[in-house]
Structure formats: structure tokens, C-alpha cells
Amino acid sequence: MEIIISSNTSKPIYEQITTQIKAMIMSGELQAGEAIPSMRSLARDIHVSVITVQKAYEDLQRDGFIETTVGRGSFVSAINKNFYQEEKQRQAEEHLQIAADIGRSSGISADKLVELLRMFYEEDC
């Protein structure tokens, strides 16, 4: 499992870890039931504090992406279809919020943004 930490972003390190592990799970790179590195091991590999990795793992567990058992380690949870769809919708909402903010600040009408969204959505059909 390769995690890349960037110092050129305002995003905290634990969020970078969380985001990358979520992406690996959502893409299928990490499968349900698969073990993920221990907190100490990952902290050592990416040269960060164990506490930083612990925060990331706590967030992943809270969001249902991993399950942690004392003495056994952390494993990818079996994600149900509704949870997966909810996470993807949340990601889309973040991007749409950015588009809406750009549209408002640039004087692009909501109708034009909707038209652009439809065009992109139907482009690959």
C-alpha cells in the first residue's frame, strides 16, 4: 500500500492518509477483509507520527471503511452498495459546491452550470 504525503497542500497529513486509503478501497485496490498496515508500520513507512496515523485510522473506522480489532489489526470492511453510493454522492457534492461557488463569483448562471453538467454527464453515453 503506497501512501504519498504532500507538504504542498493545506490538507492535514491524517486527512491525506484517510483520503488515499478511502480511494484505494473505493477503487477495489484494497478488498474487503484485506489487512492494512499497522499504525506503527505505516507511520514508519511514510515518516509521520503514530498519532497522525491513529487519527486517520479512527476516521476510517468511524466512516465504516475499516474495522480494527485489538491484537489482530485493521482490515477493510465489507462496504455495502448504499454506503459506497453515499460516499460517491458526497464527493460529487463537494465538486458541485466548488462549481457553484465559481459560477456565482464569475457571473455564470445556474442554468449554464446545469447545461454544462448535463453535457459532461451525457458525454460518455
Side-chain angles (χ1 to χ4, degrees):
M1 184 170 81
E2 184 177 358
I3 302 287
I4 299 167
I5 301 302
S6 172
S7 58
N8 297 332
T9 180
S10 61
K11 187 183 263 193
I13 293 172
Y14 78 90
E15 278 187 32
Q16 293 180 51
I17 296 167
T18 302
T19 301
Q20 290 179 54
I21 293 175
K22 280 183 180 181
M24 288 181 222
I25 294 169
M26 303 286 269
S27 72
E29 185 178 336
L30 292 174
Q31 298 291 319
E34 187 173 339
I36 60 173
S38 71
M39 290 181 219
R40 284 192 180 113
S41 173
L42 183 58
R44 185 178 53 248
D45 290 349
I46 61 175
H47 308 290
V48 299
S49 163
V50 173
I51 294 169
T52 300
V53 176
Q54 179 182 14
K55 172 72 172 131
Y57 278 27
E58 286 171 354
D59 286 357
L60 289 164
Q61 187 166 339
R62 181 198 66 228
D63 293 345
F65 282 90
I66 66 169
E67 298 170 359
T68 302
T69 306
V70 177
R72 286 196 61 225
S74 298
F75 300 85
V76 177
S77 296
I79 299 176
N80 66 43
K81 188 176 179 182
N82 291 336
F83 182 79
Y84 177 80
Q85 189 169 5
E86 180 68 29
E87 179 65 18
K88 287 298 186 184
Q89 181 176 326
R90 186 193 61 73
Q91 290 174 359
E93 288 170 359
E94 287 178 11
H95 292 287
L96 290 170
Q97 181 63 56
I98 292 167
D101 292 345
I102 292 169
R104 269 194 300 279
S105 67
S106 303
I108 301 169
S109 71
D111 288 339
K112 183 64 176 176
L113 288 175
V114 169
E115 178 185 332
L116 288 168
L117 177 60
R118 274 200 185 94
M119 181 183 74
F120 290 128
Y121 192 83
E122 296 169 355
E123 190 173 74
D124 290 335
C125 291

